[in-house]
Amino acid sequence: MSARWLARKLAAAALTLVFVLAFNFFLFRVMGDPLNQLARLPRATPEEIERLRAAYGLDQSLLGQFADYAKDMLTLDMGVSQVTREPVWNEILTALPWTLLLVGTGTLIATLLGSWLGVIAATRRGRRTDDSLLSFSLFTYAAPEYWIGILLILLFAVAVPILPAGQQMTPGVEFSGPIPQALDVAEHLILPATTMTLMMLGQYFLIMRSSMVDVLTEDFVTVKRATGLPWPRVVRRHAVPNALLPLVTLSAISFGAVLGGAVTIETIFSWPGLGDLSYEAVQAKDFPVLQGTFFVFSVGVVLANLLADVLYFVLDPRVQDA
Amino acid sequence: MTKLLSTARGRLSLSVIVFFALMAIFGPLLAPDDPRASSLEVLEGISLAHPLGTTENGSDVLSQLLVGARVSILVGFAAALISAALGTAVGLAGGYFGGWTDRLLDALENWFLVLPTLPLMIVLTRLLSPSLIVLILVIGLTSWAGTGRIVRAQVLTLRERAFVERARALGASDLYIVRTHILPNTAPLIFANTVLIIAVAILSEAALAFLGLGDPNSISWGTMLEHAFDSGAPSAGAWWYVVPPGLCLTVLVLAVALLGYLFEEQVNPRLQGRPA
Amino acid sequence: MSPLLEVTELTVRHGAEAIVDGISFTLEAGEALGLAGESGCGKSTTALALLKLLPEGLAQSGAIALRRDGEEPVNVDRRTEAGMQRVRWRHISLVFQGAMNALDPVQRIERQLIDAIVLHEPVGRAAAAARAAELLELVGLAARLGRRYPHQLSGGQRQRVMIALALACRPAVVIADEPTTALDVVMQAQILQLLERLREELGLALILISHDLAVLAETCDRIAVMQAGRIVECGPVADVFTAPQHPYTQRLLATLPVIGSTRGGLSQSQSQEEAR
């Protein structure tokens, strides 16, 4: 039964990926005029343009172009950066770990902190702790994340210069080993990761809080208490695990927004991830890179949703029988 | 509306929104200086001449702030309207006609709900060359899925109700049924959701502007933050340049979002605790 | 001999309003007491009060004394929350109304039984598992059902699990709050038979709460009728049914179907009688 469910989810994800591929193709090929890129070449003669058209495959039918595109993508041939002349895939591969580090750290802390605060607020509903936590999370939810990042820079890198204001490592320094280097990266990670966490914290807190409030009204919570369990244990062992389930779904659905935040946050901190890469590509009108990063972002969203489905399946026995 | 004014939160949100609306309308008149006028007092702090300091060009921050309200609010509002119209159309079509139309539209909707919105907006704006119209269109065309889902769910519920069946039995056309029966019942939901979309749209414009994709000829709170960051205001410690635009954005978005949630509470029978 | 359970002037207030208004009753060992009344009269609140499980905002007062043979008397009203954790389930347990959501959805059945057992009895988990299997068989379920999750059982099975859970720590008093509501007629009969059998086999004292007088007539020795938070009549079942003293009791009894006559005002039991 579970194997069938998994197969179905994988098939759906694969279908979505095909759709992503088509979407990406139409977005750039149909909406953007590829000849834009060709026009960058100064004084290209008509014959040269025709040759480039053929080289790019632009003289083929749309379907033919899409087939070419799909084939290229499957072999990870995303073209070459217009700026650096490096293969797009290489640039993406270099940038990917940094984004994973940033997004991963931010998500981890936001989930832990958000759930913990959400539980506290739900069990102290209506009181001052709850109100102040609500106000705080609403504020971070509404505030633009890049603004928060700049404020953090102002506070902790300029006014009280204890943390670096950008980049992932101190430039020009030779590290004596992997551990000092890792520590340097960690130091540079603090502000960007804090910004990322604050961006996500509000939503996670609100969802956990409302989820806990719902779960606490369920009969089984009273039953557990009736069997003689102390209230803290009822909350911890029975209410919280049930309340965490919507959080899994939420993190999947909001992953798209998280990636958007990665773009702006990496930009302000010069964090060399995919977001920063996109930003540079936007500034330089480097369309191959832009298309590549957008594709990776889309794939990321599909994978995140798949991962959340699997996680939910593992955590909720009711899904296993669906 | 009166129910809203009865709650403290409602009154607060409305007053904030009215405040910013007035700023948008009268801002350029109230601005003490020409927001684009440059001077030699570059990145200077708070003074009597410049209550919120100056920019990297020596322009008056306060003037820019007052003028910038217009773009931020205008784009937010217009984009939300487009988004609502598109979302309603899609939701109606899918929910009412069902079958393959619905399945296709629903899949499209689900995709738009999860996709990386900001990267998509970035790509579209870059492809089309930034301008106010492009911004409004791009934001509107990427934010419709939320409304679409709500409308579709509502239409599915209403479609099976007795009064719709009766109307159909009497020979009413689909258009008539949609216009007189389905839309009026769905309108409150659309309205509440649109208010929330306005908040998202305002933030989207600011984010796009911040990344350099805003209208190059306008001043908005987003472009202020963009110029502040690009010119090194943070390193120079020029907090007067950075704090006001972001604060305005935050406060306005909070007020609009709160208002949206209040509307939603009133309109959504489930949230009220009444049986739907 | 003093009664097993003695409740004196139990009151539950919500602010100034009294949901339970100074009720007093006793329960002898091995006796089945029925608590009858319409919904909202305070029956379930009384049940929760006996275990001091009332939600926040409700204040309870009045003496609740439990005197078990060979044990120290327990004054529930004077116990702290920590003290109550040793009383609950060990001396008094509760079969909740509507077992739909009374079990943790993400835990297996046997785990929930074992958790309750090890909480009060000095046994290891292996021994507790054996006892859990016994309990399931005691209530007429196959022991292997313990490996299942709550959503995999039918309503009737879940109700039996609730009863098994209630018996897990060998309490002296079991309160069953509407144990047959939301079950079909066949299930109802089975559950009542089960309760009767358990009472005989284990020597339990039972407080059976129901709005359905027919149900109480079958199983109880004595019956107390509640109206608006007060006990208006209390006595042996036969007496109350044949010669009700209080007008409210008389009205309640009037809603029960009588063979050979047609009455207006169908109650749940009446419509079920017709369905048979």
Side-chain angles (χ1 to χ4, degrees), chain A residues 85-164:
Chain A
R85 296 289 167 206
E86 292 290 314
V88 171
W89 179 243
N90 288 6
E91 308 233 333
I92 290 181
L93 219 49
T94 323
L96 185 61
W98 295 108
T99 301
L100 287 176
L101 180 61
L102 177 63
V103 169
T105 315
T107 309
L108 188 67
I109 303 180
T111 312
L112 291 174
L113 199 58
S115 331
W116 182 57
L117 291 174
V119 171
I120 292 182
T123 48
R124 285 169 186 54
R125 193 171 160 212
R127 278 179 269 177
R128 227 163 9 128
T129 328
D130 187 26
D131 280 336
S132 24
L133 282 173
L134 269 172
S135 315
F136 175 70
S137 57
L138 281 173
F139 185 83
T140 55
Y141 193 24
E145 68 278 0
Y146 43 94
W147 182 61
I148 293 184
I150 298 179
L151 287 178
L152 286 176
I153 293 178
L154 270 174
L155 283 170
F156 296 108
V158 179
V160 183
I162 49 175
L163 287 170

Side-chain angles (χ1 to χ4, degrees), chain C residues 203-218:
Chain C
L204 288 174
L206 192 64
I207 299 181
L208 194 53
I209 300 178
S210 183
H211 66 274
D212 190 341
L213 285 170
V215 162
L216 296 176
E218 280 181 48

